[in-house]
Amino acid sequence: MKFKSISKKILALACVVPMFAMANEGGPTLDKFDVNTHDLESLQRGAQTFANYCLSCHSAQAMRFNGLADIGIPDQQVKDNMLFAADKVTDPMKVALNPKEAKGFFGATPPDLSVIARARGADWLYTYLRSFYRDPSRPTGWNNVVFDKVGMPHVLWELQGEQHAVFKTEKNAEGQSVQVLEKLELVKAGTLTSLSGGKANTADYDQKVGDLVNFLVWMGEPHQNLREQLGYAVLLFLGILLLPFVYLLKRDYWKEIH
Ligand code: HEC
């Protein structure tokens, strides 16, 4: 009797779990991004964009400015082009903005971005930074497809231009009409996008965001490249170490045959 009721509970749980999984899968689809943290030029461009457009509100405390030497940005270049909030290249990437003030401005504190790529994933970041759209009902005038009612303004809008949301009416499970987002439309070109004959070309902006996402992924795990190189070196070393033994073994085996 007891066993039966337990097995019933398990059965009931088993039915519920896949439902949650499905509920999670709903929501906007993410654009796929192929991360490449070996492309140093892309990482350098991403770092510069990060310093110019993100560091004014977000910190990246786990990253020191002189750590950028690992992706080929020398200290002098950091001094000349990136030190706004910090004074020394040995400083972490901190932020000038007071977190309490930020909360007052935007209704939310801009989080530290050191490991944001591990928390959100590259696809999410790539989609997020390309999915801001005009929304007059929001205090900043912007909303975002993957982060509804986001507190962050669209800081890259001069580059991307302006997108409008196109909604369509759909019936939900209860048969009520609901507005769902159909697509975003570029209505005003930015410095890195163009509109000709109603067709939008966003390749340059997408690349800019791609570089930034590469950098954010690299920043989440700055020693990954080194670790990979070390791994290959160790394998090579072990291989070379093994060779004489293999040779001796071979000689020993073939001794009687010759
Ligand atoms: C003007 C200030 C400001 C600037 C500049 C800014 N952000 Fe933000 N950002 C915010 C605020 C505020 C939030 C919190 C939004 C919320 O919780 O509603 C945020 C949230 C985010 C999030 C979501 C974090 C989460 O909750 O997972 C990401 C990712 C992000 N910002 C990336 C960037 C990047 C990349 C840049 C540079 C291109 C940037 N931000 C520039 C203010 C800013």
Side-chain angles (χ1 to χ4, degrees):
M1 194 59 194
K2 191 132 193 232
F3 173 74
K4 229 179 170 178
S5 84
I6 290 176
S7 66
K8 254 191 197 156
K9 274 186 195 139
I10 292 176
L11 196 71
L13 249 176
C15 294
V16 172
V17 168
M19 238 160 65
F20 280 129
M22 271 187 280
N24 257 338
E25 275 166 24
T29 44
L30 299 180
D31 295 331
K32 187 105 195 60
F33 178 66
D34 283 326
V35 176
N36 180 359
T37 53
H38 295 283
D39 183 346
L40 284 190
E41 283 177 14
S42 167
L43 292 178
Q44 290 165 8
R45 289 192 299 263
Q48 188 66 59
T49 307
F50 184 72
N52 289 351
Y53 291 96
C54 316
L55 266 184
S56 47
C57 293
H58 292 275
S59 59
Q61 294 279 4
M63 187 79 226
R64 278 173 204 287
F65 279 100
N66 58 356
L68 297 176
D70 288 351
I71 53 170
I73 306 182
D75 286 357
Q76 192 55 46
Q77 203 173 322
V78 171
K79 268 191 200 140
D80 295 344
N81 301 319
M82 291 181 185
L83 289 188
F84 305 121
D87 332 302
K88 299 191 294 288
V89 288
T90 47
D91 280 348
M93 289 184 157
K94 61 188 179 201
V95 64
L97 201 68
N98 175 331
K100 283 211 189 86
E101 272 174 9
K103 188 148 188 245
F105 290 149
F106 308 110
T109 310
D112 186 273
L113 293 184
S114 306
V115 292
I116 190 70
R118 275 194 264 168
R120 289 290 198 175
D123 290 351
W124 189 90
L125 290 171
Y126 184 65
T127 312
Y128 171 67
L129 293 167
R130 289 156 53 258
S131 298
F132 283 89
Y133 62 90
R134 276 282 178 216
D135 183 348
S137 74
R138 300 296 308 150
T140 60
W142 296 99
N143 206 336
N144 192 286
V145 176
V146 292
F147 196 142
D148 192 35
K149 303 191 172 57
V150 68
M152 174 170 146
H154 185 12
V155 295
L156 301 175
W157 79 273
E158 282 176 336
L159 311 178
Q160 187 183 24
E162 284 182 38
Q163 297 189 117
H164 276 198
V166 179
F167 292 94
K168 64 179 175 195
T169 314
E170 259 182 16
K171 290 243 186 298
N172 67 6
E174 282 92 50
Q176 298 155 321
S177 297
V178 283
Q179 292 275 328
V180 291
L181 184 83
E182 189 182 357
K183 59 177 178 192
L184 293 183
E185 245 175 25
L186 190 72
V187 288
K188 199 161 136 196
T191 51
L192 292 182
T193 57
S194 65
L195 271 171
S196 63
K199 249 186 90 71
N201 182 348
T202 61
D204 290 347
Y205 180 72
D206 292 347
Q207 153 140 39
K208 183 108 178 164
V209 171
D211 291 339
L212 181 56
V213 172
N214 272 339
F215 175 73
L216 291 172
V217 172
W218 174 79
M219 189 165 65
E221 215 169 332
H223 301 300
Q224 189 188 346
N225 287 357
L226 182 72
R227 248 200 331 263
E228 273 172 28
Q229 283 162 11
L230 214 62
Y232 287 125
V234 166
L235 283 181
L236 192 72
F237 175 74
L238 287 179
I240 292 171
L241 205 66
L242 210 63
L243 267 179
F245 293 102
V246 174
Y247 176 68
L248 289 178
L249 204 64
K250 180 208 156 242
R251 267 227 322 224
D252 199 46
Y253 268 127
W254 286 83
K255 216 166 40 202
E256 272 122 67
I257 299 168
H258 282 305

